Amino acid sequence: MKRDMILITGASSGIGRAIALHLAAPGVLLHLGGRDPDRLEAVARDCAARGARALTRRQDVRDAEGMAEWIGGAGTLDLVFACAGITASTAARAAGAPREAPGQVRRVLDVNVGGVINTVLPALETMSGQAPDGRGVRGRICAIASVAGLVAFPGTPSYCASKAAVDRFMVATGGNTARDGILLSSVCCGFVRTPMVAANDFPMPGLTEVDDAAAAILRGVAAGRRRIVFPWWLVAGSRLMDLLPPRLAELYYSRQPAGQAGSMPETGGMSS
């Protein structure tokens, strides 16, 4: 897999940081984006210590114009990873059923869906003008979805919806872009040990170490897989659960820790 020119959003921590470190090597140029300049510079230094050249940009993925300017001005791009994301849960109320605040719903969708769109669209424009390699590939784009996109947890409705949208967009769009030599991948993973899950005080089945997750993602991108899944048994089980009538599935989901109100930070936190 050609990997000389790489752009990563959400690169200051979590999966984005792990991917940057895995790919850092002599001759590699990394464009690293994130919201925390100090953490971003620390990642850049770690990548430089491995021989890569790392350029950082403080960039909110919700800013469509800023993202287009950054990605469009980066030059040739072989790999683009959309890793920025947030999670949040419903909150208990004094009266009535648990609910997400309107502002929280909009923020989760703006970051998780809008941020991916703001990354993928300008990356497609850039890669469309690039010459294909010996295998006919002009570039590869990968976005982090989640196994949450395959289920409907009452505790995290906007997060589930956002990740479902990311997965469907990447998989469906990838069928068209592959004809032009641009390969798209969606990552449907379970819990990964990152700052996003650090506050979770409930069992996380299939918890994957972040370095193992990065390695699995890079193997899948190199193989050109449209959808990258791990752990497979968690994804398979989630797919089967989603075939059940909603009311029946909710009998199970509502008894799980992640299905409860307040199971995750109410306002969410950036995964990277």
Side-chain angles (χ1 to χ4, degrees):
M1 177 174 62
K2 187 179 180 183
R3 56 178 193 175
D4 294 336
M5 311 293 181
I6 303 154
L7 185 142
I8 304 171
T9 70
S12 59
S13 71
I15 292 175
R17 175 182 182 275
I19 287 175
L21 293 176
H22 272 256
L23 292 174
V28 171
L29 173 59
L30 293 165
H31 297 273
L32 307 177
R35 298 186 310 158
D36 188 313
D38 292 335
R39 288 191 300 166
L40 204 55
E41 288 299 331
V43 175
R45 288 193 297 271
D46 290 341
C47 290
R50 301 186 180 202
R53 182 185 177 203
L55 303 177
T56 63
R57 175 161 173 136
R58 184 179 183 182
Q59 180 65 56
D60 190 327
V61 294
R62 294 173 293 181
D63 176 6
E65 289 187 5
M67 289 291 291
E69 177 190 356
W70 177 40
I71 295 171
T76 299
L77 291 172
D78 302 305
L79 292 167
V80 170
F81 293 90
C83 300
I86 58 175
T87 186
S89 68
T90 54
R93 299 189 297 160
R99 187 180 301 171
E100 287 186 274
Q104 175 175 296
V105 173
R106 294 182 185 281
R107 182 175 179 233
V108 170
L109 294 174
D110 285 348
V111 173
N112 292 359
V113 181
V116 167
I117 299 300
N118 291 340
T119 304
V120 174
L121 295 186
L124 286 174
E125 285 297 315
T126 293
M127 291 179 179
S128 294
Q130 297 176 176
D133 63 16
R135 292 180 292 178
V137 176
R138 298 177 190 273
R140 302 169 193 262
I141 306 171
C142 176
I144 307 300
S146 171
V147 69
L150 307 178
V151 296
F153 265 117
T156 55
S158 60
Y159 182 72
C160 290
S162 70
K163 294 304 186 179
V166 169
D167 177 64
R168 296 302 176 182
F169 174 76
M170 295 297 289
V171 172
T173 304
N176 297 320
T177 62
R179 303 177 193 177
D180 288 334
I182 304 174
L183 306 184
L184 270 56
S185 297
S186 168
V187 179
C188 289
C189 57
F191 293 104
V192 177
R193 196 184 299 280
T194 67
M196 176 180 275
V197 306
N200 293 354
D201 59 359
F202 53 81
M204 293 180 280
L207 179 64
T208 303
E209 297 299 326
V210 70
D211 285 338
D212 294 334
I217 291 167
L218 292 174
R219 286 195 300 270
V221 170
R225 289 205 291 270
R226 191 85 56 79
R227 181 181 282 125
I228 301 165
V229 302
F230 60 89
W232 70 266
W233 52 267
L234 184 62
V235 175
S238 297
R239 281 192 171 279
L240 290 174
M241 283 295 297
D242 204 44
L243 295 176
L244 297 176
R247 289 185 181 180
L248 185 57
E250 285 165 6
L251 290 176
Y252 172 77
Y253 291 149
S254 62
R255 289 169 171 78
Q256 301 307 302
Q260 304 300 313
S263 60
M264 297 180 187
E266 186 177 340
T267 56
M270 277 287 192
S271 64
S272 311

